[in-house]
Amino acid sequence: MYHRIWTVTNVLLIIGSIIHIWFFRPHDTTLIVISQFLAQTAMVLFIFNVNMYFIFLLIRKTKQRKVKIRLATFSRYFMKWHIKIAITSTLLIVGHSWINLFKIGPVIGYGHIKMLMGYTSFIFLLVTLFAGYLRHKKASGFRKKSHRITAMIFTVIFLVHMLIPV
């Protein structure tokens, strides 16, 4: 039941962000379009990575052995890509940030709430990456929990950043 709700939420989030970014945002220059594309791609990849928590949650909570085996097999395969996806997404966000600092920042002001939430989400992204690095080097309950919490906070902040109008 919960996995269906989570799947629908993910699909709606991705479709909603596509509609929001491509139909309700200005497309003044080619660089702005590139910036929006970079952000959209990174968002989908980040959401994909955040879903690992929910896959592990389903593995723990489900009582159906076949579902557990299927999810465990998928998660074992997917975890090989988790770090690569995170690094790729981060590089896309760095490109998005640079374009917006030089094209949008002077227009709306560097202290605009959208810019401030962008800075904040970028800081939480770096904290999440650092927590993930520590967890990768030596897994412990604290490191696992801190990586998960910072990832969830980052996700909420970047979604707020995305929804703030310019």
Side-chain angles (χ1 to χ4, degrees), residues 62-79:
T62 190
K63 296 186 186 337
Q64 299 171 349
R65 189 171 187 280
K66 286 184 179 181
V67 172
K68 283 186 182 214
I69 291 170
R70 223 175 303 133
L71 288 173
T73 303
F74 172 76
S75 66
R76 226 177 273 119
Y77 172 77
F78 177 74
M79 282 309 289

Side-chain angles (χ1 to χ4, degrees), residues 53-137:
Y53 168 72
F54 296 99
I55 289 170
F56 290 134
L57 185 66
L58 276 173
I59 291 171
R60 280 194 312 273
K61 298 290 183 185
T62 190
K63 296 186 186 337
Q64 299 171 349
R65 189 171 187 280
K66 286 184 179 181
V67 172
K68 283 186 182 214
I69 291 170
R70 223 175 303 133
L71 288 173
T73 303
F74 172 76
S75 66
R76 226 177 273 119
Y77 172 77
F78 177 74
M79 282 309 289
K80 294 175 185 173
W81 292 94
H82 184 76
I83 294 171
K84 294 171 183 142
I85 289 172
I87 291 170
T88 302
S89 302
T90 302
L91 292 174
L92 293 171
I93 289 300
V94 167
H96 166 75
S97 301
W98 278 106
I99 292 170
N100 286 341
L101 280 173
F102 293 111
K103 293 301 266 181
I104 301 290
V107 175
I108 66 172
Y110 295 102
H112 189 275
I113 187 71
K114 181 142 184 109
M115 298 295 280
L116 294 174
M117 290 305 288
Y119 308 145
T120 306
S121 64
F122 190 77
I123 289 168
F124 268 95
L125 171 60
L126 295 178
V127 171
T128 302
L129 290 174
F130 183 69
Y133 172 77
L134 291 177
R135 184 178 190 281
H136 179 71
K137 287 299 173 195

Side-chain angles (χ1 to χ4, degrees), residues 134-149:
L134 291 177
R135 184 178 190 281
H136 179 71
K137 287 299 173 195
K138 182 176 186 258
S140 71
F142 175 76
R143 290 178 179 193
K144 179 179 170 182
K145 187 175 182 178
S146 65
H147 180 57
R148 182 177 61 236
I149 289 170

